[in-house]
Amino acid sequence: MRMAGLALALTAGSASAATYHLIPGRVPLDWQGPDGNTIVLDAPRGLIVVDTGRSPMHAQSILDYAKRRHRPIAAIVNTHWHLDHTTGNDDIRRAYPKAKVYASTAIEGALLGFLGRGRAQADKALSDPKTPEGQKAQMLRGRDRIDHPDKLRPTIPVIRSGRISIAGRTLDVRLAKFAATEGDVWIYDPATRNAFVGDLVVAIVPFMDTACPDGWSKALGEIAATPFTTVIPGHGSALSRADFQQWRTAFDNFVKCGRSTVGKAVCVTGWEKDAARFIDAAHRNYVREAADYYLTTRLRSSPKEQQKYCESLKPA
Ligand SMILES: [Zn+2]
């Protein structure tokens, strides 16, 4: 009896140690765009894949993992529509056509604006003989998704926050409106106290391309209000509660500094200092350039531009 009890305890221990499987996304320093992190969860009816990356290699890693596990991919959850989190949806659905896709409907506004503009830029680069072949391949892959938006759209739109069953597993699925995008989906798993938050947390620097900073800050408050013990971000390693609090402070300081009249360099240095524990040596220059770029384009642009992503995007 004692032995059986011990064996059981050990099994339970090892199972709780691995409450999710992370396939880390890279943030390369060359022309390659980043891949978002993928998280795989076990559910009664198969695997749940949270975000699918951008590159074919990343999608292949997800498919290889499912194969190793001998379990079908039953569902995809997209935390947001950015192509570094959704491009792989199509690769996965080709292998698992019955997989459901849970995501917000923010992709519709993105198709009218950001992604439409991105497509025009890609066309220009594609006709430029100086563009590297690898970059062209990546652009064609992204353009294919924009031209066939059903490869990005949800099959089950997430239109409100609440507990729902995905592939037979109950998860607390939250919708944060006007945050990193018009509709960010994040998951709180009460059974394991993990929070999978997509790009509401990006370790090295917040990717603010389509951000509404105030909505984003509010969403960070909603994450803080759950009793999570671990946050798994859209890019970077898992964060403890203390790490998350530090990142949240860094985010709010950066936005506040961006809206003040102090020099941009002060705000960039402030971010580097506040977020130091999340920035690896290889990405230091990248972070400086990105922080400066977001100050210029989002936090110090015209008042209209600053509010651009704080309301629904409609046809021009
Ligand atoms: Zn991302």
Side-chain angles (χ1 to χ4, degrees), residues 115-293:
L115 288 174
R117 286 196 301 281
R119 191 193 188 287
Q121 280 164 7
D123 278 348
K124 224 170 131 192
L126 283 165
S127 62
D128 183 342
K130 291 198 289 294
T131 305
E133 285 308 312
Q135 190 171 4
K136 282 188 185 169
Q138 178 175 286
M139 283 173 163
L140 287 169
R141 187 170 155 84
R143 198 175 73 171
D144 168 75
R145 304 305 191 263
I146 298 168
D147 289 347
H148 303 96
D150 280 346
K151 294 180 179 179
L152 301 172
R153 286 188 173 115
T155 61
I156 302 183
V158 175
I159 50 169
R160 69 178 71 84
S161 297
R163 284 195 183 192
I164 57 171
S165 171
I166 299 180
R169 177 167 172 170
T170 301
L171 292 166
D172 197 348
V173 175
R174 306 290 184 96
L175 176 64
K177 288 187 177 171
F178 308 110
T181 66
E182 189 175 324
D184 286 19
V185 172
W186 60 280
I187 297 171
Y188 176 65
D189 179 14
T192 60
R193 295 172 73 177
N194 293 322
F196 308 103
V197 302
D199 282 7
L200 293 172
V201 175
V202 175
I204 55 176
V205 67
F207 291 159
M208 301 182 91
D209 303 77
T210 57
C212 175
D214 294 323
W216 190 328
S217 184
K218 188 172 157 235
L220 293 174
E222 286 162 5
I223 295 169
T226 70
F228 76 84
T229 51
T230 306
V231 152
I232 296 87
H235 302 264
S237 311
L239 285 77
S240 66
R241 264 201 102 85
D243 287 338
F244 173 81
Q245 288 303 348
Q246 178 61 33
W247 197 89
R248 185 184 176 197
T249 302
F251 178 90
D252 286 338
N253 286 350
F254 183 63
V255 171
K256 198 171 158 211
C257 187
R259 287 172 174 167
S260 74
T261 53
V262 305
K264 269 203 299 180
V266 176
C267 301
V268 172
T269 309
W271 171 262
E272 283 182 290
K273 199 163 151 272
D274 288 342
R277 71 169 84 162
F278 310 111
I279 303 169
D280 56 299
H283 285 92
R284 255 175 228 154
N285 283 334
Y286 177 101
V287 164
R288 265 197 287 272
E289 279 172 28
D292 186 270
Y293 173 76

Side-chain angles (χ1 to χ4, degrees), residues 10-142:
L10 284 172
T11 315
S14 61
S16 69
T19 51
Y20 63 93
H21 176 73
L22 173 69
I23 299 173
R26 297 183 320 128
V27 182
L29 297 167
D30 59 9
W31 52 262
Q32 297 177 69
D35 282 306
N37 283 338
T38 288
I39 293 114
V40 188
L41 303 175
D42 274 90
R45 291 203 290 276
L47 301 174
I48 302 170
V49 171
V50 182
D51 288 343
T52 58
R54 179 201 308 270
S55 66
M57 293 81 75
H58 190 95
Q60 193 57 49
S61 308
I62 301 170
L63 293 170
D64 290 347
Y65 177 74
K67 217 172 193 178
R68 275 207 306 282
R69 291 289 315 279
H70 303 289
R71 300 209 70 200
I73 294 173
I76 294 167
V77 179
N78 288 131
T79 57
H80 60 298
W81 57 260
H82 286 177
L83 292 178
D84 55 325
H85 298 259
T86 53
T87 304
N89 285 16
D90 187 52
D91 304 68
I92 288 173
R93 292 170 76 199
R94 278 172 197 273
Y96 299 97
K98 285 190 226 150
K100 306 261 193 298
V101 180
Y102 294 76
S104 82
T105 56
I107 181 67
E108 303 305 332
L111 287 164
L112 299 170
F114 190 89
L115 288 174
R117 286 196 301 281
R119 191 193 188 287
Q121 280 164 7
D123 278 348
K124 224 170 131 192
L126 283 165
S127 62
D128 183 342
K130 291 198 289 294
T131 305
E133 285 308 312
Q135 190 171 4
K136 282 188 185 169
Q138 178 175 286
M139 283 173 163
L140 287 169
R141 187 170 155 84

